[in-house]
């Protein structure tokens, strides 16, 4: 997949996300340093690295939840405005980008007062203007896809953590994203519920969904990732096929990180 590792300024032709020399700071704290990264259409990219290395910040930049100061970031052909662009109101393309990007967080953040089916149907109705009955039909199909058809009318408080996270995935899919971002989707779950969420993600990968996933589940990463990216103190230290990164890491720091998590 080295074709995706473009070092030129033009996005690789088949990249959906294209990031070049991206820099991001919180105040004077430089978090992301000259990040170059492309994600190909249909690619599953797994981001690994120590806590505090910038993994969440990087994927949050891809849907504009964090602002970056310099570099170039395009998503599906739209230019993500920099912090300076946003200050002068240049955020029209941000709205376009958000339409095409789904995100699943560590905390599922479902609406507690709505049933699973309504959690999935609400954004298509409110944001896309779908007819409520159509949106609920689609929601039911999506809940079936994540194995929760029989739980469609339960409220989040009546569902396990793993089930809530699967509702959250269905909710994202309801907006028909062209890429899905996952930020440690299983880190808040009891161990016995991790597998059911990873199974849903595995199925999405098999169906060809483009995904950018931050996870500490190294077995899953090895199995599902097309490429693994290792971030160290805000720099991409290495990226490659799972076997390259896990079995033949080029950098001592990658080896040290892996020896702690594997
Ligand atoms: P990771 O997801 O790899 O654990 P993060 O991207 O969350 O790392 O954080 C990277 C660094 O940026 C950390 O040092 C963190 O403390 C800092 N950071 C994250 N969010 C903020 C924020 N809103 N304000 C200031 N510093 C932040
Ligand atoms: Mg994080």
């Amino acid at each position: 997949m080295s074709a995706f590792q473009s070092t030129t300024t033009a996005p690789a032709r088949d990249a959906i996300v294209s990031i070049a020399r991206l820099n991001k700071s919180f105040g004077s704290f430089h978090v992301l340093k000259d990040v170059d990264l492309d994600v190909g259409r249909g690619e599953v990219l797994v981001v690994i690295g120590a806590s505090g290395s910038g993994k969440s910040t990087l994927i949050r930049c891809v849907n504009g939840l964090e602002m970056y100061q310099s570099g170039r970031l395009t998503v599906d052909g739209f230019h993500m405005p920099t912090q300076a662009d946003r200050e002068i109101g240049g955020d029209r393309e941000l709205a376009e980008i958000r339409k095409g990007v789904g995100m699943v967080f560590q905390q599922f953040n479902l609406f507690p007062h709505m049933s699973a089916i309504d959690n999935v149907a609400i954004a298509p109705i409110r944001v896309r203007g779908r007819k409520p009955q159509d949106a609920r039909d689609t929601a039911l199909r999506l809940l079936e896809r994540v194995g929760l058809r029989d739980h469609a009318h339960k409220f989040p408080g009546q569902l396990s953590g793993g089930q809530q996270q699967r509702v959250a995935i269905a909710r994202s899919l309801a907006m028909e994203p062209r890429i899905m971002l996952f930020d440690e989707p299983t880190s808040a779950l009891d161990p016995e519920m991790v597998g059911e969420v990873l199974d849903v993600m595995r199925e999405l990968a098999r169906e060809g969904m483009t995904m950018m996933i931050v996870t500490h589940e190294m077995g899953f990463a090895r199995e599902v990732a097309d490429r693994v990216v290792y971030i160290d103190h805000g720099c991409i230290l290495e990226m490659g096929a799972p076997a390259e990164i896990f079995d033949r890491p080029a950098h001592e720091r990658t080896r040290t990180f892996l020896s702690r998590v594997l």
Side-chain angles (χ1 to χ4, degrees), residues 154-219:
K154 291 190 182 165
F155 289 83
Q158 298 170 307
L159 297 170
S160 71
Q163 291 170 333
Q164 290 185 61
Q165 191 60 302
R166 286 186 281 149
V167 174
I169 294 172
R171 178 180 58 175
S172 274
L173 294 174
M175 297 298 273
E176 303 178 322
R178 287 183 291 278
I179 176 170
M180 287 281 285
L181 311 177
F182 292 87
D183 192 359
E184 299 199 28
T186 61
S187 294
L189 299 176
D190 290 335
E192 71 269 25
M193 291 167 189
V194 169
E196 66 196 57
V197 171
L198 296 182
D199 282 345
V200 167
M201 294 168 66
R202 212 175 263 125
E203 185 61 20
L204 283 177
R206 210 186 52 75
E207 291 165 6
M209 175 64 79
T210 306
M211 302 201 273
M212 209 171 157
I213 304 169
V214 176
T215 186
H216 295 293
E217 296 290 336
M218 297 299 159

Side-chain angles (χ1 to χ4, degrees), residues 38-139:
D38 284 355
V39 185
R41 254 172 235 285
E43 188 178 19
V44 177
L45 185 103
V46 169
V47 180
I48 62 172
S51 176
S53 57
K55 305 179 298 297
S56 294
T57 305
L58 176 62
I59 72 165
R60 289 164 62 86
C61 281
V62 175
N63 69 351
L65 282 176
E66 298 291 356
M67 295 191 276
Y68 65 108
Q69 282 79 35
S70 69
R72 184 179 52 69
L73 167 55
T74 62
V75 182
D76 217 8
F78 294 102
H79 167 74
M80 178 69 78
T82 61
Q83 182 167 3
D85 293 333
R86 289 210 210 177
E87 280 162 9
I88 57 169
D91 51 7
R92 185 181 49 82
E93 291 192 73
L94 175 60
E96 289 302 320
I97 289 172
R98 290 219 169 119
K99 283 184 197 165
V101 180
M103 178 132 183
V104 174
F105 302 88
Q106 186 173 330
Q107 301 300 337
F108 342 115
N109 303 320
L110 298 176
F111 296 116
H113 58 291
M114 281 185 193
S115 62
I117 190 170
D118 287 336
N119 265 281
V120 177
I122 188 72
I125 295 169
R126 293 265 175 88
V127 181
R128 296 279 160 84
R130 294 277 144 75
K131 291 201 190 91
Q133 194 50 55
D134 292 351
R136 296 177 106 243
D137 289 346
T138 303

